[in-house]
Amino acid sequence: RVFDVATSATADSVRVDPATCEADRRGASELCTVWQDPEWDPSLRAFYYVRLLENPTCRWSTRVCREHGVDPLSSACAAEAARAGESWRDCCLDTSGDGFAEATVRERAWSSPVWVRPDGISSVEGSIDAARGEAGLAIAIGALPGALAPPVAPLRLRASDARDLLSLDVPPGAWVEEAIGPGGRRWRAATDAAEFSIESAADGSAVLRVDGRGLPVPGTDGVDHAVRLSLESGVYRAAHERRWRVDGARLSPRGS
């Protein structure tokens, strides 16, 4: 679906000036608004991007034709094309003869998309400590997928910048289930490298907790930088990439 979220007051009345090939009036110098999706469904995957439409101007082909004495905006276009020669005949095409032949165009720009994934990683808290070789992370998942309740395939957790900071694997048969609170469940697993737990809440959200000791974590470079954390098990894939802050040998997320 396409929604108009901010519009210049002149958006529907701007026309191309046939003498200059430019818009006959200015649009908004900037547009600012807050928008909420009226069809929002938190259970669905979605993506959003912003598209900006400029005031209409002459199409590049119209400018080329005009430079050679054939004006697609003129009622005399056919006569001008006949004088200019056979190769300029198409200057006079319009949408009645060619669905793509527009004498004017509205240029557009668009933003990078924002992806909404209910079962994705919503936030990461904790830290990775190179000096101690330790990792303590709480990875929040918006909606617990069946592939993680419990993992029926090997669970792989990776954290990396230009290097691999953390690489942990859990075999599928290592998980033990526990009941917690009303409507909640917890699965625990342990390997030689770390202890893991997946806790689900009554609202369907979940948290994966990781507590590792004696890990071969490389040292930091002393500068805050982006860290990518990825999680996969079977068909489930999720990633979370944010700037992490450096405190000595310790790396921790700058919020979610």
Side-chain angles (χ1 to χ4, degrees), residues 171-236:
W175 299 93
V176 177
E177 184 173 358
E178 302 174 352
I180 55 167
R185 292 183 294 171
R186 177 191 292 136
W187 296 271
R188 290 187 180 276
T191 67
D192 293 339
E195 295 180 353
F196 304 81
S197 71
I198 299 174
E199 299 176 8
S200 70
D203 64 0
S205 63
V207 178
L208 168 63
R209 301 185 189 278
V210 181
D211 186 9
R213 299 286 187 274
L215 302 172
V217 181
T220 66
D221 56 9
V223 179
D224 293 1
H225 58 273
V227 172
R228 177 182 174 84
L229 187 142
S230 63
L231 182 65
E232 64 179 71
S233 180
V235 298
Y236 179 79

Side-chain angles (χ1 to χ4, degrees), residues 36-253:
Q36 292 183 327
D37 185 353
E39 299 179 355
W40 168 252
D41 184 341
S43 67
L44 298 179
R45 293 186 180 186
F47 68 90
Y48 297 85
Y49 69 94
V50 176
R51 186 171 66 193
L52 174 69
L53 272 67
E54 191 181 46
N55 281 338
T57 56
C58 280
R59 192 170 183 265
W60 67 269
S61 56
T62 299
R63 296 179 186 275
V64 172
C65 290
R66 286 167 62 105
E67 289 172 0
H68 289 80
V70 184
D71 188 356
L73 300 176
S74 170
S75 59
C77 184
E80 293 170 348
R83 290 194 297 270
E86 179 67 18
S87 60
W88 299 100
R89 183 182 60 184
D90 287 349
C91 288
C92 302
L93 283 174
D94 57 23
T95 53
S96 63
D98 184 333
F100 294 97
E102 292 274 6
T104 62
V105 66
R106 297 188 71 181
E107 301 286 0
R108 60 190 62 196
W110 53 91
S111 70
S112 297
V114 175
W115 297 86
V116 179
R117 182 181 173 187
D119 61 349
I121 298 172
S122 57
S123 66
V124 179
E125 297 179 355
S127 65
I128 299 173
D129 193 319
R132 296 175 176 271
E134 297 177 353
L137 299 173
I139 303 165
I141 299 170
L144 183 66
L148 298 183
V152 295
L155 179 74
R156 296 183 174 89
L157 176 66
R158 302 284 186 271
S160 60
D161 45 22
R163 313 147 299 171
D164 287 334
L165 301 172
L166 190 66
S167 180
L168 298 170
D169 294 271
V170 187
W175 299 93
V176 177
E177 184 173 358
E178 302 174 352
I180 55 167
R185 292 183 294 171
R186 177 191 292 136
W187 296 271
R188 290 187 180 276
T191 67
D192 293 339
E195 295 180 353
F196 304 81
S197 71
I198 299 174
E199 299 176 8
S200 70
D203 64 0
S205 63
V207 178
L208 168 63
R209 301 185 189 278
V210 181
D211 186 9
R213 299 286 187 274
L215 302 172
V217 181
T220 66
D221 56 9
V223 179
D224 293 1
H225 58 273
V227 172
R228 177 182 174 84
L229 187 142
S230 63
L231 182 65
E232 64 179 71
S233 180
V235 298
Y236 179 79
R237 302 284 191 281
H240 182 277
E241 187 165 350
R242 295 290 189 277
R243 180 174 290 274
W244 287 35
R245 59 179 174 268
V246 175
D247 182 9
R250 188 169 174 264
L251 266 170
S252 56

